[in-house]
Amino acid sequence: GAVVSQHPSRVICKSGTSVKIECRSLDFQATTMFWYRQFPKKSLMLMATSNEGSKATYEQGVEKDKFLINHASLTLSTLTVTSAHPEDSSFYICSADRPKSGSSYEQYFGPGTRLTVT
Amino acid sequence: SQQGEEDPQALSIQEGENATMNCSYKTSINNLQWYRQNSGRGLVHLILIRSNEREKHSGRLRVTLDTSKKSSSLLITASRAADTASYFCASNFGNEKLTFGTGTRLTIIP
């Protein structure tokens, strides 16, 4: 099946620093990827839709200057948490759309990245 | 918010018993999907049911969809310890974006 990877799987950083998380589709090309955030024992909340070659589309309430998304190639999207603060600590999950027959897609999820800001 | 509600929030059953989780949503959907998430891990896609389908089976999983009540249920039969996880429903509202339900934490007691 399709595989989506994320790197790193865990990261601890100091408050005020920036952290970059990578999301890669390993065996298919994805023009669209999604970034989600999940707090402990909570559901996934969509942060933004990442489109290859164009600007990301952010959900309401998500600061685009704080969560920088770059989808530079058909297999890689990055999320950079800038000037991280403890409240940014969370589990970040990406997904990638894999084309199916016709114009339909199927989303494949990465394993997630645990960010802890101290 | 379009986020779906799931109930129960948490469920503990004995191994071998059946587990039923319910999901309700607010607006019309194209399809509804169920995912499993083991603690601290990514999501595993379990099953997709389209808006014109009423029931679907996959192994020990049975999903029903009632569009008139805007609800779906996931039944896991003959539960195993390995089924311990959080289960989420998710739906498309006319585009590719998925909106996830609040989730049910299932614990199977050996």
Side-chain angles (χ1 to χ4, degrees):
Chain A
V3 177
V4 175
S5 69
Q6 281 183 241
H7 177 79
S9 58
R10 289 178 179 269
V11 57
I12 301 173
C13 70
K14 293 187 183 299
S15 188
T17 62
S18 295
V19 174
K20 180 185 285 188
I21 303 170
E22 294 184 349
C23 176
R24 293 181 186 273
S25 56
L26 298 184
D27 54 355
F28 64 98
Q29 293 183 330
T31 55
T32 304
M33 292 183 173
F34 302 89
W35 286 96
Y36 297 84
R37 182 174 182 175
Q38 185 180 31
F39 290 104
K41 298 184 179 180
K42 297 291 185 182
S43 187
L44 282 75
M45 298 300 293
L46 180 65
M47 299 174 65
T49 303
S50 172
N51 303 296
E52 188 268 336
S54 64
K55 291 182 179 180
T57 305
Y58 290 82
E59 295 299 301
Q60 192 172 11
V62 177
E63 300 176 60
K64 57 185 176 183
D65 293 332
K66 179 159 186 66
F67 299 100
L68 300 179
I69 291 172
N70 184 24
H71 195 151
S73 77
L74 287 171
T75 59
L76 174 64
S77 175
T78 60
L79 168 68
T80 301
V81 183
T82 62
S83 186
H85 290 283
E87 57 265 30
D88 298 325
S89 298
S90 191
F91 194 54
Y92 292 88
I93 302 176
C94 73
S95 68
D97 263 354
R98 182 181 187 183
K100 291 177 66 178
S101 59
S103 59
S104 64
Y105 293 83
E106 186 169 355
Q107 272 194 42
Y108 290 87
F109 285 82
T113 296
R114 173 80 56 196
L115 170 63
T116 303
V117 185
T118 60
Chain B
S1 168
Q2 291 180 322
Q3 186 176 42
E5 296 283 332
E6 290 185 59
D7 77 273
Q9 290 187 0
L11 177 63
S12 292
I13 60 173
Q14 294 288 333
E15 191 170 18
E17 293 180 340
N18 296 342
T20 300
M21 290 157 268
N22 302 295
C23 166
S24 61
Y25 54 91
K26 296 179 181 178
T27 61
S28 297
I29 58 172
N30 290 340
N31 60 60
L32 189 136
Q33 305 179 52
W34 285 89
Y35 289 84
R36 184 183 75 227
Q37 184 182 36
N38 290 87
S39 180
R41 303 277 186 175
L43 274 75
V44 174
H45 183 262
L46 296 177
I47 196 166
L48 179 152
I49 186 165
R50 301 190 189 285
S51 59
N52 61 354
E53 297 176 312
R54 291 297 167 259
E55 187 171 312
K56 202 161 183 179
H57 297 255
S58 176
R60 293 184 296 113
L61 306 180
R62 172 178 165 244
V63 168
T64 63
L65 180 64
D66 187 334
T67 52
S68 66
K69 294 181 180 179
K70 292 187 170 59
S71 68
S72 174
S73 67
L74 170 67
L75 168 67
I76 303 174
T77 60
S79 63
R80 305 168 182 170
D83 294 330
T84 294
S86 291
Y87 291 82
F88 295 93
C89 64
S91 47
N92 293 92
F93 298 98
N95 54 37
E96 298 170 49
K97 295 196 294 187
L98 285 176
T99 300
F100 283 83
T102 51
T104 294
R105 291 193 307 280
L106 175 64
T107 301
I108 306 301
I109 303 167

